[in-house]
Each structure stands twice: as C-alpha cells, then as structure tokens.
C-alpha cells in the first residue's frame, strides 16, 4: 500500500464522522465541569428538604412555637451550607387538620469560569407533615 492510499484512507475515515481526539477530550472535560458545578446545589437542596422533614416530623401542633421551629430549621440548614435567614423560612400551622407546612426559599450562586459572571438557581422547598 502506498503512502498516498494511506492518507486517502485516513481522510475518508475522518469524513465519515469520526470525532477528533482533542474535541472528544474537550467535551468530556466540559461535561465533567458542568456536572461538578451544578450537581452540588441540587444535592444540597435535596438534603435541606430532608432535614426540614425530619425537623417537622418530631413536632406536634399543640403548644408549638413557630419561632423556635424556624430557628431550629435555619440552624440545621446553615450547618450543611445552605445560607438562609429566618425571613426565608415560612411556617404554617393548621390546628383543625393538624398539619404543619414549612416553606423555604434558597438562592444558590454559581460562578462561571474565566469570567466574573454568576448564575443563580432559586430553590423553593416545601415540606408538609401531619401531626398527631
């Protein structure tokens, strides 16, 4: 086989849609970066919702102090890295149906690489539990 036919075979393979190696590596690195950047805030929101549910599950409607519940939830969420204040947590207690509803709004800031721009993801977490 001559060198001219080898070059033609390589060129023909590239024309069939084979992806250059450097482009494949770039796509893998970019995909890994996006996963590692956007996955942690979603995981934190799932973890925060779980903590809110655990906190509310141990409560009863009778004699419940909403401010204490808010402070407890804010403290637990701040420990896992969810930066909220008591103003971001809303507690609703219904004595007739014996339900406790806790809502929390959290905004995660994500910095883009090589720029000074940020992207915000707003999470609205809601937990409803029936008390005894």
């Amino acid at each position: 086989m001559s060198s001219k036919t080898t070059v033609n075979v390589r060129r023909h393979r590239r024309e069939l849609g084979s992806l250059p190696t450097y482009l494949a590596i770039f796509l893998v690195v970019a995909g890994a970066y996006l996963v590692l950047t956007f996955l942690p805030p979603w995981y934190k929101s799932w973890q925060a919702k779980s903590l809110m549910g655990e906190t509310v599950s141990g409560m009863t409607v009778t004699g419940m102090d909403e401010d204490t519940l808010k402070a407890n939830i804010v403290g637990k969420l701040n420990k896992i890295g969810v930066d909220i204040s008591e103003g971001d947590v809303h507690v609703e207690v219904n004595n007739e149906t014996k339900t406790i509803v806790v809502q929390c709004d959290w905004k995660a800031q994500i910095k883009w690489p090589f720029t000074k721009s940020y992207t915000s993801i707003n999470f609205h977490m809601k937990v409803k539990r029936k008390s005894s």
Side-chain angles (χ1 to χ4, degrees):
M1 208 181 227
S2 71
S3 66
K4 188 174 183 180
T5 21
T6 306
V7 171
N8 285 338
V9 169
R10 286 185 188 158
R11 193 174 293 146
H12 181 67
R13 277 194 193 151
R14 198 170 291 143
E15 289 172 3
L16 289 177
S18 65
L19 193 64
T21 307
Y22 66 89
L23 184 59
I25 292 170
F26 173 76
L27 289 175
V28 168
V29 168
Y33 173 78
L34 289 174
V35 166
L36 293 175
T37 301
F38 287 97
L39 191 62
W42 289 100
Y43 177 74
K44 276 186 185 177
S45 91
W46 172 78
Q47 193 177 18
K49 189 172 180 179
S50 176
L51 275 174
M52 287 169 49
E54 288 175 10
T55 305
V56 173
S57 291
M59 298 294 216
T60 59
V61 174
T62 55
M64 189 187 87
D65 183 23
E66 293 179 10
D67 294 330
T68 306
L69 179 61
K70 279 185 184 182
N72 195 1
I73 288 174
V74 168
K76 286 184 178 184
L77 295 184
N78 284 335
K79 282 183 184 176
I80 65 168
V82 176
D83 188 28
I84 61 167
S85 64
E86 287 190 28
D88 298 328
V89 178
H90 306 286
V91 177
E92 181 183 321
V93 179
N94 190 335
N95 289 325
E96 293 176 10
T97 60
K98 294 186 178 182
T99 56
I100 302 170
V101 178
V102 178
Q103 296 179 351
C104 177
D105 295 321
W106 173 54
K107 181 190 271 189
Q109 295 277 354
I110 298 172
K111 184 181 183 306
W112 288 100
F114 313 116
T115 64
K116 294 182 180 181
S117 63
Y118 286 86
T119 297
S120 296
I121 302 175
N122 296 319
F123 293 99
H124 180 75
M125 299 169 282
K126 182 178 180 180
V127 174
K128 182 178 181 179
R129 296 285 190 261
K130 190 156 182 103
S131 179
S132 57

